[in-house]
Amino acid sequence: MDTDVIQKLALAVDPPDEDFDPDLQPETGEQYLQKVMYERKKCPSVVVVRPSPKRRLQASGSGIVPASSVRNRAHRMLIPTKEWEAMQIQKFAELRDTITGYRNSAQYQENLQRTQIFLCFENRKQLHEYCANNQPFVRILLSIPQRNLEILLEYLFEWLQGDGESQQEETGGTVAAASSEWITQWIYAILACIITPLEPYVHSVLRDIAKTCIAARNELTAEDELKVLPLNLLICIISKNFHQLDLSDNSAL
């Protein structure tokens, strides 16, 4: 008995010898298996995925704060109160309940058939243009499959960061200087419509969004009360409604 193997081989095939030509097309099952054995030996034992130049540029580019290093240093006047957070949490929960009820209704199925939206989720430029110029209506978001909503959420996170390179790609070479208000609106709307439980990587995206909002809030002054509202709203919703409590402003709530 061969002690080097745990199970007996199902197909006894001789390994390719020195006369084996891998460029020839296999004509028999034995030749096919020999080619598989030959190619398997060429595969490395460990495969390392190297980050793309674009990702390295994003990680080291100016103006982007690494999400993992974000700490809350905002002025105390910009931190929301427990009462404000409790109100937003309740409103968001009620909104999700309403959308869930609508999704299970016959009216939803009828409206779904009448809602026609043609978006290519591999075309970032088209998505950027559409989202920047359209409101995130619930009827539109509910017509988009869950996986595409997750993809859009990732794009919105990148746009929220304000990366110059990605903005140039989406706007055809011109860096957009417009407000990010539309981005936070779309993120909030997607969070209201997305189906839970979420995949772990989606939770990771949500955490990065919240940390980006915290970093942006750190740059504001006490007079920026209007600018801080959408940032506080996303931090609150993600930390409390999506159970990322370590990012919460009022963890005792």
Side-chain angles (χ1 to χ4, degrees):
M1 180 178 179
D2 189 353
T3 58
D4 293 333
V5 295
I6 298 177
Q7 293 179 325
K8 184 178 180 180
L9 294 176
L11 295 174
V13 178
D14 294 331
D17 54 23
E18 57 184 12
D19 296 328
F20 177 77
D21 187 353
D23 296 328
L24 294 178
Q25 189 72 16
E27 297 181 353
T28 65
E30 181 178 4
Q31 292 177 356
Y32 174 80
L33 292 176
Q34 286 178 336
K35 186 171 184 178
V36 171
M37 296 168 66
Y38 173 83
E39 293 179 348
R40 184 182 63 181
K41 290 183 178 180
K42 296 171 59 179
C43 296
S45 301
V46 178
V47 179
V48 178
V49 178
R50 302 186 182 279
S52 66
K54 178 180 177 181
R55 287 298 181 185
R56 288 197 295 268
L57 181 61
Q58 288 180 344
S60 60
S62 60
I64 300 179
V65 180
S68 59
S69 64
V70 170
R71 296 293 182 270
N72 187 2
R73 300 186 303 273
H75 192 282
R76 61 182 181 85
M77 295 297 295
L78 301 179
I79 304 299
T81 64
K82 292 183 179 180
E83 292 75 17
W84 183 88
E85 280 194 336
M87 181 175 62
Q88 302 307 323
I89 293 170
Q90 180 179 355
K91 286 183 177 180
F92 183 78
E94 292 174 353
L95 176 60
R96 279 189 59 86
D97 289 342
T98 300
I99 292 175
T100 300
Y102 171 69
R103 184 183 271 121
N104 296 329
S105 67
Q107 182 183 4
Y108 164 69
Q109 297 298 332
E110 296 175 1
N111 292 339
L112 187 61
Q113 296 177 359
R114 292 197 298 264
T115 302
Q116 298 291 333
I117 178 172
F118 301 97
L119 291 174
C120 177
F121 283 82
E122 296 179 357
N123 189 334
R124 295 163 59 95
K125 181 179 178 181
Q126 181 197 34
L127 285 175
H128 186 280
E129 182 178 356
Y130 180 85
C131 294
N133 294 282
N134 292 275
Q135 294 292 324
F137 294 115
V138 171
R139 62 179 176 83
I140 298 297
L141 293 176
L142 292 184
S143 69
I144 299 176
Q146 172 89 356
R147 175 57 188 140
N148 287 344
L149 285 180
E150 295 169 353
I151 293 174
L152 181 55
L153 196 61
E154 293 183 73
Y155 289 160
L156 288 165
F157 160 59
E158 295 180 7
W159 298 333
L160 182 65
Q161 284 187 307
D163 176 24
E165 180 184 359
S166 64
Q167 290 285 358
Q168 286 181 343
E169 291 178 357
E170 269 75 68
T171 57
T174 303
V175 178
S179 169
S180 62
E181 181 179 355
W182 64 271
I183 301 178
T184 55
Q185 290 177 352
W186 273 87
I187 292 176
Y188 183 89
I190 290 177
L191 295 182
C193 295
I194 202 167
I195 300 174
T196 56
L198 302 175
E199 296 287 344
Y201 83 92
V202 182
H203 280 290
S204 178
V205 173
L206 294 184
R207 290 183 61 83
D208 286 341
I209 290 174
K211 291 177 181 179
T212 300
C213 290
I214 293 173
R217 186 175 62 183
N218 289 341
E219 302 300 320
L220 300 179
T221 64
E223 290 74 26
D224 294 323
E225 295 183 0
L226 293 180
K227 293 181 180 180
V228 80
L229 286 177
L231 302 177
N232 282 343
L233 183 58
L234 291 184
I235 296 170
C236 172
I237 296 304
I238 291 174
S239 63
K240 298 300 176 61
N241 294 80
F242 290 90
H243 313 295
Q244 307 300 318
L245 298 179
D246 60 306
L247 301 176
S248 173
D249 291 315
N250 297 292
S251 57
L253 184 63

